[in-house]
């Protein structure tokens, strides 16, 4: 980790905001239907109030259109001098959301730090403040990226503690990958197609083929723009469909009812914990399934998302396990289960 002097510090009186870029190094080349990468840029944040520091993070995979430069530009535009307490949560986060459009990961970096700070000031984990039972969190899936037979087999063998595997699909290798995994294990699978299928009839045929092989849901099977095709597939598929790229923020959720069976909520897409919780509650009201997902992130953002795990039907919170240079100690995965700590806030400490 870079030294403390590398932090950019903004002093707002009651609050101090610090931030700096950091690069996550992947344990494996990470391949999905549209690209491959070996690193992920992030920006780490700290929000200090009355000597107490909350931690946050922005993770920017390439397809979201944010970068370390854009996040730092956004954070430099913030002026928190109009606020004198972190418990002005609604006003603070409304202000941050209207500073610039989009920039959802940058906004999440402040939201997470603010929630961590509030939990520390109250001396309680967020899940307790929200009245949630961590024992209700589903086991996390572990992601197997698109790769050769040998590497897929190796990854499956390394993932033996996980009760469910998430498989990246969307290329001509789909059946090979599933067949290779099925030679190694009969554990349940979920398939993330990352918009890789284009023809609804072929997608339906694949959904039946996958259902027969123990796949329990399809994530973003076709391009988000193909609304009618996705709705048709959802109506006919033997397994649920989950919106990922099609679902970013709270305002998106009502229009997805009937198009998908459920939504994948990610802090980096929706501006953080406040909106993520509202999305989960709205989806439940609409009788839609809830998945809590992640980007490639440190244990900071992963532990933040895990506070919402009890609201989910499925969680995919393996992002910190896919990197080799995590700098926080937080939510642990033990026997495939997300184990939240009793520490206040989001439950992390810097290593």
């Amino acid at each position: 980790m870079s030294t403390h002097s590398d932090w950019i510090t903004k002093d707002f009186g009651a609050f101090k905001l610090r931030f700096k870029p950091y690069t996550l190094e992947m344990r494996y080349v990470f391949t999905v239907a549209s690209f491959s990468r070996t690193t992920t840029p992030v920006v780490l944040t700290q929000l200090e109030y009355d000597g107490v520091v909350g931690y946050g993070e922005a993770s920017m995979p390439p397809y979201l259109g944010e970068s370390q430069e854009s996040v730092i530009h956004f954070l430099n535009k913030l002026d928190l001098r109009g606020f004198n307490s972190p418990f002005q949560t609604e006003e603070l986060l409304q202000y941050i959301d209207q500073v610039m459009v989009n920039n959802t990961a940058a906004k999440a970096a402040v939201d997470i730090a603010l929630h961590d700070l509030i939990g520390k000031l109250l001396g309680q984990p967020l899940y307790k403040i929200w009245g949630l039972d961590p024992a209700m969190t589903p086991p996390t899936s572990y992601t197997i990226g698109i790769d050769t037979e040998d590497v897929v087999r190796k990854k499956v063998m390394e993932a033996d503690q996980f009760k469910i595997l998430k498989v990246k699909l969307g290329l001509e290798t789909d059946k090979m990958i599933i067949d290779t995994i099925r030679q190694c294990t009969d554990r349940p699978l979920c398939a993330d197609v990352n918009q890789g299928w284009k023809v609804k009839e072929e997608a339906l045929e694949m959904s039946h083929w996958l259902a027969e092989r123990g796949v329990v849901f399809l994530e973003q099977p076709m391009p988000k723009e193909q609304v009618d095709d996705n709705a048709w597939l959802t109506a006919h598929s033997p397994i649920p469909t989950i919106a990922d790229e099609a679902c970013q923020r709270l305002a998106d959720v009502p229009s997805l009812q009937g198009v998908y069976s459920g939504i994948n909520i990610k802090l980096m897409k929706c501006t953080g914990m406040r909106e993520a919780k509202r999305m989960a509650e709205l989806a439940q009201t609409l009788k839609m399934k809830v998945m809590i997902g992640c980007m490639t992130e440190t244990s900071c953002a992963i532990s933040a998302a895990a506070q919402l795990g009890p609201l989910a039907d499925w969680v995919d919170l393996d992002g910190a396990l896919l990197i080799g240079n995590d700098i926080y100690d937080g939510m642990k995965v033990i026997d495939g289960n997300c184990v939240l700590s009793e520490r206040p806030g989001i439950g992390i400490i810097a290593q």
Side-chain angles (χ1 to χ4, degrees):
M1 181 176 178
S2 16
T3 60
H4 188 79
S5 59
D6 295 324
W7 293 91
I8 300 164
T9 301
K10 300 191 72 180
D11 191 335
F12 300 114
F15 292 99
K16 287 188 180 70
L17 177 66
R18 302 185 193 93
F19 46 93
K20 70 172 176 184
Y22 187 69
T23 300
L24 305 183
E25 296 159 4
M26 312 291 293
R27 293 184 186 275
Y28 288 100
V29 177
F30 190 73
T31 302
V32 299
S34 53
F35 59 85
S36 298
R37 57 191 164 89
T38 56
T39 60
T40 295
V42 300
V43 173
L44 307 175
T45 56
Q46 296 182 357
L47 187 63
E48 182 177 341
Y49 173 84
D50 199 22
V52 180
V53 177
Y55 296 109
E57 173 181 10
S59 174
M60 292 81 62
Y63 76 90
L64 284 181
E66 288 183 76
S67 64
Q68 288 172 327
E69 293 73 23
S70 71
V71 170
I72 288 168
H73 174 70
F74 177 87
L75 295 175
N76 270 317
K77 287 181 74 74
L78 297 181
D79 185 351
L80 304 183
R81 282 174 295 190
F83 304 95
N84 54 29
S85 167
F87 295 102
Q88 294 174 273
T89 315
E90 289 297 310
E91 298 94 322
L92 265 164
L93 294 176
Q94 283 171 13
Y95 159 71
I96 287 162
D97 199 15
Q98 59 80 40
V99 167
M100 292 172 68
V101 298
N102 303 322
N103 291 280
T104 56
K107 293 169 183 178
V110 185
D111 169 285
I112 293 167
L114 178 61
H115 280 89
D116 190 35
L117 177 60
I118 288 167
K120 285 172 175 170
L121 291 168
L122 294 174
Q124 295 290 340
L126 264 300
Y127 65 80
K128 284 192 178 175
I129 293 169
W130 287 335
L132 301 176
D133 178 2
M136 299 297 291
T137 302
T140 182
S141 54
Y142 181 79
T143 302
I144 309 291
I146 295 171
D147 223 312
T148 62
E149 283 186 54
D150 287 346
V151 176
V152 167
R153 195 172 282 111
K154 184 170 184 283
K155 288 179 180 176
V156 172
M157 297 317 230
E158 289 175 357
D160 59 349
Q161 70 156 306
F162 295 91
K163 298 176 175 70
I164 182 168
L165 300 177
K166 177 173 175 172
V167 187
K168 294 288 188 177
L169 300 179
L171 299 179
E172 66 284 346
T173 52
D174 288 356
K175 289 189 175 182
M176 175 276 287
I177 289 173
I178 297 294
D179 286 339
T180 302
I181 293 171
R182 279 291 169 251
Q183 291 165 17
C184 305
T185 180
D186 60 359
R187 277 170 287 170
L189 307 175
C190 45
D192 186 0
V193 189
N194 288 114
Q195 311 185 83
W197 299 341
K198 305 298 188 281
V199 180
K200 65 181 183 181
E201 292 82 5
E202 292 174 8
L204 180 60
E205 188 179 319
M206 275 300 292
S207 73
H208 281 280
W209 189 88
L210 292 168
E212 290 165 4
R213 284 153 183 82
V215 172
V216 295
F217 69 82
L218 290 174
E219 191 178 340
Q220 200 61 55
M222 289 184 287
K224 61 182 182 180
E225 297 80 12
Q226 293 179 219
V227 176
D228 291 344
D229 289 345
N230 278 300
W232 180 89
L233 178 63
T234 297
H236 294 87
S237 172
I239 50 180
T241 61
I242 304 296
D244 182 8
E245 285 86 348
C247 179
Q248 294 213 347
R249 300 202 57 179
L250 181 65
D252 298 328
V253 178
S255 65
L256 298 172
Q257 187 183 28
V259 182
Y260 301 89
S261 314
I263 59 170
N264 185 357
I265 302 167
K266 296 179 180 176
L267 302 188
M268 298 304 142
K269 292 192 301 183
C270 75
T271 73
M273 300 173 75
R274 167 179 169 266
E275 187 152 325
K277 183 169 181 284
R278 292 178 177 177
M279 290 173 74
E281 291 165 346
L282 177 57
Q284 289 175 333
T285 301
L286 297 174
K287 302 291 189 283
M288 297 178 75
K289 297 286 189 184
V290 173
M291 177 180 179
I292 304 291
C294 64
M295 308 299 181
T296 307
E297 298 162 354
T298 72
S299 287
C300 175
I302 295 294
S303 299
Q307 305 296 314
L308 296 159
L311 295 173
D313 297 284
W314 299 291
V315 299
D316 178 39
L317 294 177
D318 64 345
L321 304 176
L322 304 177
I323 62 173
N325 59 338
D326 195 359
I327 49 173
Y328 299 105
D329 179 77
M331 187 274 285
K332 294 279 192 290
V333 177
I334 300 173
D335 293 331
N337 295 312
C338 298
V339 180
L340 289 162
S341 80
E342 291 282 324
R343 297 175 192 140
I346 61 173
I348 65 167
I349 53 173
Q351 299 197 96

